[in-house]
């Protein structure tokens, strides 16, 4: 059987095995939202002083007048048909809100992950090649600081230094400043849409708005990537095949890149999948600090308002993305090392 067919079969099995987990996430999130304190009908009926008749009307509109098992059945039925309900906060279908906001979160997350990857992998390799040296200790100390400092603290510090003190960063007020018109929406990724429109001034304005929030997220996830890279490279550099390559006189760069790094990349792929899923769901603080209109801040606003549908839709989205990321990592595993067992 070919490698492609084997990989597809393995991916299909993993996807099917993930469906019960997605179903469990759906049920758990639905039940959790029902036991949280507060009555959403009272909130959306314009306060606790609203008449009982108005509150009951809102409760009926939200479907809260039905028994919980019936509510769960209707919710699962809607999800099966691609409906996630309507947000009472925005007045729009949850699917439309997520489709509008998801590109903003993905653009921020991909950019931050790229910055972290470009910075962390060389740092990890350098620390492994100079194990025990000052460089190694400096990299490890930097990783510890990156993990210990919360994202909202580093974000506020970056805003204070680069916007308030030096004035070289734009206002932290979203994806575009007030003087830039948005490009025609094609993908929802502003950098791509501006390129497609040929508007380089708009592209530069969007890129400047993206730098500080992406750097804030990258500082937080840089540490685990660098540490895993360092540990994997140390294990690879101490292996028999690397010692053999050195003994026959191969160039140092070829030993590091061709032999050590290729064998050290699998743990890095694993941590990248975990880091990406975590970033997409946990970047709510960054989105709040920089007024970034992403799905995480959307879900938080809905949670504070006891708006069930957006929160349930957000959790389902995160669970689905987590499954897809794991499947992608599986495929990359097979490409990176065909020796991995498929059974």
């Amino acid at each position: 059987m070919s490698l492609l067919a084997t990989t597809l079969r393995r991916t299909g099995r993993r996807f099917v095995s993930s469906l019960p987990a997605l179903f469990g996430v759906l049920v758990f999130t639905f039940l959790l939202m029902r036991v949280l304190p507060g009555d959403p009908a009272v909130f959306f009926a314009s306060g606790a002083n609203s008449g009982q008749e108005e509150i009951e009307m809102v409760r009926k509109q939200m479907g809260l007048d039905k028994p919980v098992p019936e509510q769960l059945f209707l919710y699962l039925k809607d999800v099966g048909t691609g409906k996630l309900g309507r947000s009472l906060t925005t007045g729009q279908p949850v699917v439309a809100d997520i489709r509008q906001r998801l590109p903003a979160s993905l653009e921020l997350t991909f950019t931050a992950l790229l910055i972290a990857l470009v910075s962390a992998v060389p740092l990890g390799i350098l620390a492994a090649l100079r194990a025990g040296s000052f460089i190694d200790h400096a990299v490890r100390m930097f990783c510890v600081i990156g993990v210990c400092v919360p994202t909202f603290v580093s974000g506020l510090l970056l805003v204070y230094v680069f916007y308030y003190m030096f004035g070289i960063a734009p206002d932290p007020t979203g994806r575009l400043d007030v003087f830039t018109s948005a490009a025609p929406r094609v993908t929802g990724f502003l950098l791509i849409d501006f390129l497609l429109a040929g508007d380089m001034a708009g592209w530069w304005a969007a890129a400047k708005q993206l730098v500080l929030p992406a750097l804030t997220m990258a500082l937080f996830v840089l540490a685990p990537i660098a540490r895993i890279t360092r540990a994997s490279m140390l294990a690879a550099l101490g292996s028999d095949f690397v010692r053999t390559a050195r003994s026959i006189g191969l160039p140092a760069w070829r030993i590091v890149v061709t032999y050590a790094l290729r064998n050290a990349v699998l743990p890095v792929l694993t941590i990248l999948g975990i880091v990406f899923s975590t970033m997409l769901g946990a970047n709510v603080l960054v989105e709040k600090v920089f007024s970034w209109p992403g799905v995480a801040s959307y879900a938080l606003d809905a949670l504070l308002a006891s708006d069930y549908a957006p929160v349930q839709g957000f959790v389902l989205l995160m669970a689905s993305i987590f499954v897809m990321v794991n499947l992608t990592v599986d495929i990359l595993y097979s490409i990176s090392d065909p020796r991995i067992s498929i059974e």
Side-chain angles (χ1 to χ4, degrees), residues 143-222:
C143 292
V144 171
I145 294 175
V147 171
C148 293
V149 178
T151 53
F152 71 91
V153 174
S154 57
L156 291 174
L157 286 175
L158 290 175
V159 170
Y160 178 77
V161 172
F162 293 101
Y163 170 66
Y164 180 76
M165 290 184 60
F166 298 128
I168 59 178
D171 297 344
T173 53
R175 304 179 74 186
L176 286 175
D177 57 54
V178 295
F179 304 105
T180 305
S181 300
R185 185 182 177 91
V186 179
T187 64
F189 294 79
L190 288 185
L191 297 182
I192 297 177
D193 288 348
F194 276 119
L195 283 179
L196 294 176
D199 186 354
M200 296 309 298
W203 184 91
W204 179 242
K208 289 192 296 184
Q209 293 288 133
L210 183 60
V211 169
L212 285 188
L215 186 58
T216 301
M217 292 185 63
L219 289 175
F220 182 72
V221 300
L222 187 149

Side-chain angles (χ1 to χ4, degrees), residues 1-189:
M1 184 177 293
S2 66
L3 177 61
L4 176 60
T6 300
T7 303
L8 290 177
R9 189 179 68 174
R10 181 187 181 198
T11 303
R13 286 203 305 267
R14 288 293 300 271
F15 177 76
V16 172
S17 65
S18 302
L19 293 180
L22 289 176
F23 178 79
V25 168
L26 278 174
V27 175
F28 177 77
T29 307
F30 178 88
L31 296 177
L32 180 63
M33 293 301 299
R34 266 56 183 181
V35 301
L36 289 178
D39 189 346
V42 174
F43 181 87
F44 288 105
S46 303
N49 296 326
S50 303
Q52 188 63 30
E53 182 177 348
E54 184 179 358
I55 294 175
E56 290 300 328
M57 182 179 65
V58 174
R59 182 174 287 112
K60 184 176 181 180
Q61 178 185 355
M62 298 178 67
L64 300 177
D65 58 326
K66 300 180 177 63
V68 173
E70 184 178 353
Q71 294 181 41
L72 176 59
F73 173 78
L74 293 175
Y75 173 66
L76 294 176
K77 181 181 177 182
D78 287 342
V79 171
T81 58
K83 300 176 183 177
L84 299 179
R86 180 178 294 272
S87 170
L88 296 180
T89 306
T90 64
Q92 300 294 323
V94 173
V95 174
D97 284 339
I98 290 178
R99 187 183 297 116
Q100 180 71 27
R101 289 172 171 264
L102 182 59
S105 292
L106 288 176
E107 187 172 49
L108 174 59
T109 303
F110 280 129
T111 305
L113 188 61
L114 179 62
I115 294 174
L117 189 61
V118 170
S119 305
V121 172
L123 285 177
I125 295 174
L126 184 61
L129 293 175
R130 299 289 185 270
S133 67
F134 172 78
I135 295 176
D136 184 21
H137 291 298
V139 170
R140 291 159 68 183
M141 180 62 68
F142 179 72
C143 292
V144 171
I145 294 175
V147 171
C148 293
V149 178
T151 53
F152 71 91
V153 174
S154 57
L156 291 174
L157 286 175
L158 290 175
V159 170
Y160 178 77
V161 172
F162 293 101
Y163 170 66
Y164 180 76
M165 290 184 60
F166 298 128
I168 59 178
D171 297 344
T173 53
R175 304 179 74 186
L176 286 175
D177 57 54
V178 295
F179 304 105
T180 305
S181 300
R185 185 182 177 91
V186 179
T187 64
F189 294 79

